[in-house]
Amino acid sequence: KSRPLSSPGERISKASEIQVMASADLQWELIKRNSCFLVKRGRKAFSTEAGNLKCRNSFNSNGLIHRRTVGIEAPTAGKSGVVLVLRNQRQANRPARSHSRVPLQRQGPRGVLGSIKKILRQRRYRRDLELAALRRASAIMRGQRKIGGK
Amino acid sequence: MTSRPIVTVQAAKEGEKSGASLALPSVFRAPIRPDILNFVHDQMRKNTRQPYAVHVKAGHQVSAESWGTGRAVARIPRVRGGGTSRSGQGAFGNMCRGGRMFAPTKTWRKWHRRINVQQRRFAVASAIAATGVTSLVMARGHRIEKISEVPLVVSDSVQDLKKTKEAVAFLKRVKAWPDIQKVYASQRFRAGRGKMRNRARIQKRGPLVIYAKDNGLCRAFRNIPGVTLICVSRLNLLKLAPGGHLGRFVIWSESAFRQLDQIYAKSKLPDNKMASTDLTGILRSDEVKAAVRPRQARQARAVLKKNPLKNVNVMAKLNPYALVLKRKAILAQRKALAKKRKADAPASSQKQQQKKQPAAKKAKQAAVKGKAVKK
């Protein structure tokens, strides 16, 4: 139907269409001051939910609200690489199915970062978060380096 | 009209077939208004209060009178008589030891609040609507990551559960158990005096199970920590939005879910102020785009002026030939320097040239032979 979006927010062709579920904007208004993930420290507000790349409490960064969300997680202990977690657009109401996880392992850091870029760009998926995703992946992989190693 | 989304009924027991589809009741599209909900919740919570007050006679069970002036003491009423340390002590005042407090609390304080019916209904509708939004339920703290659907509707055989074991198995089947585990993890002692006042233990809230008919359900679930049970016909805001916070995790039985449409006939539902709350979508919609002027190309921002006489790049922008001139100047300078060096050391250079000649011959010979020569 609609062209894939490169930034958050749902596109509707007519302003008169009634929204079925609360829109991202409305949900943001409800969550921004009060949520179990909200952490206020040092006069800044952080947010600890899974799909938040910058851990920032902001509309764009939030991992719960939007139809499309990018998450980068460390894999289970012992493995290297990173897990890219994308949100399935149509499954917003089905938590079990709402995320697809793409493990990026056994590639070196460049491979991982390249894969992330490729996936996000090909799908035109939250391009505004691309840099944040790469940074987060880098940070995780840096932590996986052996101490005193290469 | 947009078609209503469909909710699939999950099987409660093993061996049952899930998959019956129900249309989402219109309550779930009621406006979500945390302000109204919070207000109503506050008022409602006051209705279970028990009065507290100080004893009527407290502080006054003394006949005391002021000694008046002229006796080198404060004019506060003093206890009469003698023979005891109490005699002559100040009485009655809030500042006196054993005196009455300031503004003694009375039992006829207004403990309860009445709330307008429309407001109450609005709040409950909002609370139910919030129950159907995944992010709100998660933001409230419920662990619903593995649940198959929100709102979670379950077949009516839940209502027939009799044993707690079965109830636990059901919760695990439906993937609601992590929420209960969260409750277990949160069990702790209250901080403060509440411990002494029969309120020692506290824990988080778990799922709310809403049923149409209790065939043993309540007894099965009541011992599981965190679970609350209510009947559809008596929806309670204090359970739907505990703490005044929207988005409790609710498990509906199928008949309870069906009843919602009857309870909340469309005429009873509050109106939305905005037909569409999707602000980003509205700003991008065709109607708005048609009314808006085209985006202006990025306007040039003010650039800090840099001095071309000091800054080569800026000079080059203004006068490209300046680079050529500069280059010429640099080359000329180098040449002049080289000449000067040669001129400055004539004697040593002659000797070096003599030394260099045989070395040069050797180098040539070696080059012919193909050997490496040290310089």
Side-chain angles (χ1 to χ4, degrees), chain A residues 62-118:
Chain A
N62 193 292
L64 292 172
I65 300 173
H66 300 290
R67 279 172 61 213
R68 299 177 178 211
T69 298
V70 180
I72 302 253
E73 292 168 15
T76 49
K79 293 188 186 168
S80 67
V82 134
V83 180
L84 175 64
V85 184
L86 300 174
R87 196 170 197 195
N88 295 326
Q89 298 180 60
R90 308 262 160 98
Q91 314 285 358
N93 280 349
R94 295 163 190 257
R97 282 193 239 166
S98 71
H99 294 280
S100 52
R101 322 192 98 218
V102 184
L104 302 169
Q105 286 152 10
R106 281 194 231 147
Q107 305 162 329
R110 286 194 186 194
V112 171
L113 294 180
S115 301
I116 294 172
K117 241 197 218 177
K118 195 179 169 192

Side-chain angles (χ1 to χ4, degrees), chain A residues 3 5 7-27 29-31 34-37 59 64-65 87 92-98, chain B residues 1-3 5-6 8 24 28-29 32 34 132-136 138-141 144-150 245-246 275-281 284-287 289:
Chain A
R3 261 184 290 129
L5 295 170
S7 7
E10 187 173 346
R11 186 199 191 131
I12 47 170
S13 56
K14 288 201 174 177
S16 51
E17 255 182 26
I18 295 174
Q19 291 300 303
V20 175
M21 288 302 172
S23 68
D25 295 281
L26 176 59
Q27 288 173 43
E29 291 299 312
L30 297 169
I31 284 180
N34 195 356
S35 127
C36 74
F37 303 109
F59 179 66
L64 292 172
I65 300 173
R87 196 170 197 195
N93 280 349
R94 295 163 190 257
R97 282 193 239 166
S98 71
Chain B
M1 280 295 284
T2 49
S3 58
I6 286 172
T8 316
L24 193 73
F28 285 91
R29 277 196 268 148
I32 298 178
V133 183
T134 323
S135 56
L136 295 182
M138 289 178 112
R140 203 186 161 275
I144 56 166
E145 289 93 6
K146 309 263 165 135
I147 283 177
S148 49
E149 193 173 5
V150 171
H245 299 139
L246 296 163
S276 163
T277 53
D278 183 12
L279 190 63
T280 326
R284 294 217 187 107
S285 68
D286 296 338
E287 287 106 318
K289 274 190 182 172

Side-chain angles (χ1 to χ4, degrees), chain B residues 312-323:
Chain B
V312 176
N313 287 325
V314 177
M315 186 54 155
K317 259 194 202 170
L318 292 170
N319 175 16
Y321 195 65
L323 283 179

Side-chain angles (χ1 to χ4, degrees), chain B residues 180-190 200-205 223-227:
Chain B
I180 310 277
Q181 284 175 320
K182 167 202 92 173
V183 174
Y184 273 115
S186 72
Q187 287 176 335
R188 63 203 185 278
F189 281 102
R190 185 188 297 267
R201 293 162 157 247
I202 46 177
Q203 65 190 21
K204 286 194 184 175
R205 288 283 171 204
N223 205 24
I224 303 174
V227 176

Side-chain angles (χ1 to χ4, degrees), chain B residues 14-292:
Chain B
E14 269 192 52
E16 254 187 18
K17 283 185 188 173
S18 64
S21 306
L22 305 172
L24 193 73
S26 34
V27 206
F28 285 91
R29 277 196 268 148
I32 298 178
R33 291 271 247 119
D35 53 336
I36 293 180
L37 188 136
N38 206 9
F39 172 72
V40 174
H41 177 89
D42 268 350
Q43 305 289 76
M44 278 182 80
R45 267 187 72 216
K46 293 178 181 175
N47 293 339
T48 50
R49 295 200 288 184
Q50 287 185 350
Y52 62 87
V54 167
H55 190 81
V56 176
K57 293 185 192 171
H60 282 283
Q61 299 191 53
V62 158
S63 66
E65 209 177 318
S66 172
W67 290 355
T69 50
R71 294 182 63 176
V73 292
R75 291 177 275 168
I76 232 250
R78 294 180 182 275
V79 176
R80 293 164 138 225
T84 174
S85 42
R86 180 66 173 143
S87 43
Q89 285 183 347
F92 292 156
N94 53 319
M95 59 283 204
C96 299
R97 184 173 179 275
R100 152 228 10 100
M101 65 181 272
F102 164 72
T105 47
K106 301 290 181 194
T107 51
W108 56 83
R109 176 194 298 214
K110 185 178 164 198
W111 302 102
H112 307 95
R113 298 286 183 272
R114 45 175 303 282
I115 314 153
N116 300 337
V117 178
Q118 295 294 347
Q119 275 183 330
R120 272 185 263 152
R121 287 180 182 162
F122 201 129
V124 177
S126 264
I128 295 175
T131 283
V133 183
T134 323
S135 56
L136 295 182
V137 181
M138 289 178 112
R140 203 186 161 275
H142 292 286
R143 309 306 309 270
I144 56 166
E145 289 93 6
K146 309 263 165 135
I147 283 177
S148 49
E149 193 173 5
V150 171
L152 183 59
V153 184
V154 149
S155 64
D156 278 340
S157 48
V158 197
Q159 294 172 164
D160 300 330
L161 291 177
K162 301 252 175 2
K163 297 289 240 165
T164 308
K165 256 193 190 171
E166 293 168 8
V168 171
F170 158 76
L171 288 171
K172 288 188 176 173
R173 198 153 194 283
V174 165
K175 315 286 171 141
W177 192 247
D179 208 29
I180 310 277
Q181 284 175 320
K182 167 202 92 173
V183 174
Y184 273 115
S186 72
Q187 287 176 335
R188 63 203 185 278
F189 281 102
R190 185 188 297 267
R193 289 279 165 203
K195 285 193 287 301
M196 295 179 177
R197 299 179 180 174
N198 306 327
R199 287 176 249 129
R201 293 162 157 247
I202 46 177
Q203 65 190 21
K204 286 194 184 175
R205 288 283 171 204
L208 174 64
V209 181
I210 302 185
Y211 58 89
K213 195 184 178 202
D214 178 12
N215 290 331
L217 167 90
C218 281
R219 287 214 208 146
F221 278 95
R222 70 186 181 190
N223 205 24
I224 303 174
V227 176
T228 313
L229 297 139
I230 52 175
C231 181
V232 205
S233 49
R234 270 171 252 146
L235 290 168
N236 187 347
L237 183 68
L238 300 174
K239 317 274 187 212
L240 281 167
H245 299 139
L246 296 163
R248 183 156 188 193
F249 170 33
V250 178
I251 303 176
W252 303 88
S253 77
E254 192 182 335
S255 12
F257 203 65
R258 282 180 201 274
Q259 274 196 36
L260 280 177
D261 255 334
Q262 292 162 21
I263 298 171
Y264 286 98
K266 275 186 190 171
S267 53
K268 269 196 190 176
L269 278 178
D271 287 330
N272 275 289
K273 283 213 166 183
M274 291 174 77
S276 163
T277 53
D278 183 12
L279 190 63
T280 326
I282 291 171
L283 291 173
R284 294 217 187 107
S285 68
D286 296 338
E287 287 106 318
V288 172
K289 274 190 182 172
V292 144

